[in-house]
Amino acid sequence: MTSEDQPMKAPMPENLSIEHRADGLTLSYRWFSGKFIFLALFCLFWDGFLVFWYGIAFSQDAPWIMLVFPLLHLSAGVFLTYYTIAGIYNRTIITVGQGKLSIQHGPLPWPGNRTLQGSEINQLYPEEVSTRGRNGPQTSYQLSAISNDNKKIKLLSGFDSPDSVRFIERQVEEWLGIRDKRVEGEMPK
């Protein structure tokens, strides 16, 4: 295969930093994007309304229905506010070295932290995830792995750009010595 036939490698995304060390590789990316500014403003409005609502309810000795009615809204507000704060402050650190792949999210706790032995991973592959929302279809990207016992493991999700996922896939596969193979359901290259 000539150099003209080989696919061009994905460029390093702007929100990602990479550190090559003798004993491994560390990739780090911030979650922050413009959507979190909008979400922060939305949370201020949503949470402000709930504080106003409950302020009136408690100060007026309101009937119990006034306290119970917005509980679903309250739980949605708590989740959305936590998600927004995590999106503003969190970063994901991917460490590859000594035959291991480690994924850590922080500083705020978030599900998905894991450490896998490189020998457990047969293949990494990027996926396109489409969901339908109020504003029509939305697309995000995730990085998954196939274990040696042929099970799918979701490693990273929520990327806005396919280039980020492709770049991380290539870097991790190189360090773990995994030869890239096509996987059914993989995002087109």
Side-chain angles (χ1 to χ4, degrees):
M1 186 180 331
T2 66
S3 63
E4 292 174 3
D5 297 333
Q6 293 178 352
M8 202 170 166
K9 293 185 177 184
M12 187 166 105
E14 288 181 19
N15 65 339
L16 193 121
S17 65
I18 188 168
E19 180 184 341
H20 293 275
R21 298 184 321 273
D23 64 338
L25 168 77
T26 300
L27 298 158
S28 175
Y29 69 89
R30 286 194 59 206
W31 296 9
F32 182 78
S33 68
K35 73 180 177 186
F36 290 108
I37 294 170
F38 167 78
L39 284 173
L41 295 173
F42 181 81
C43 286
L44 282 173
F45 172 77
W46 186 276
D47 296 346
F49 178 78
L50 288 168
V51 167
F52 177 73
W53 179 278
Y54 277 109
I56 290 173
F58 285 119
S59 69
Q60 302 289 322
D61 198 26
W64 67 271
I65 193 72
M66 195 168 172
L67 299 173
V68 174
F69 174 72
L71 284 179
L72 188 59
H73 295 86
L74 180 64
S75 59
V78 168
F79 172 78
L80 194 58
T81 300
Y82 189 84
Y83 171 73
T84 303
I85 293 169
I88 291 170
Y89 291 106
N90 273 13
R91 69 177 46 249
T92 296
I93 299 174
I94 304 155
T95 308
V96 185
Q98 300 173 347
K100 294 181 185 175
L101 169 63
S102 173
I103 299 170
Q104 300 295 316
H105 309 291
L108 295 176
W110 197 263
N113 292 343
R114 67 180 67 231
T115 300
L116 298 170
Q117 294 295 325
S119 59
E120 295 174 40
I121 302 170
N122 188 15
Q123 187 63 53
L124 298 175
Y125 65 102
E127 291 183 282
E128 184 176 283
V129 180
S130 296
T131 55
R132 292 215 177 269
R134 287 185 184 162
N135 301 328
Q138 295 181 338
T139 302
S140 65
Y141 304 91
Q142 71 183 32
L143 182 64
S144 296
I146 297 176
S147 66
N148 288 335
D149 56 354
N150 209 31
K151 292 186 178 164
K152 177 181 174 178
I153 304 168
K154 183 169 78 167
L155 299 175
L156 301 165
S157 62
F159 287 91
D160 296 330
S161 161
D163 289 340
S164 299
V165 178
R166 285 186 182 118
F167 183 84
I168 293 169
E169 173 202 20
R170 189 185 76 217
Q171 294 295 316
V172 172
E173 284 181 343
E174 282 179 16
W175 271 90
L176 291 177
I178 298 171
R179 197 179 61 126
D180 192 27
K181 294 179 267 185
R182 191 92 177 104
V183 173
E184 189 175 317
E186 180 175 0
M187 175 176 66
K189 299 223 181 221

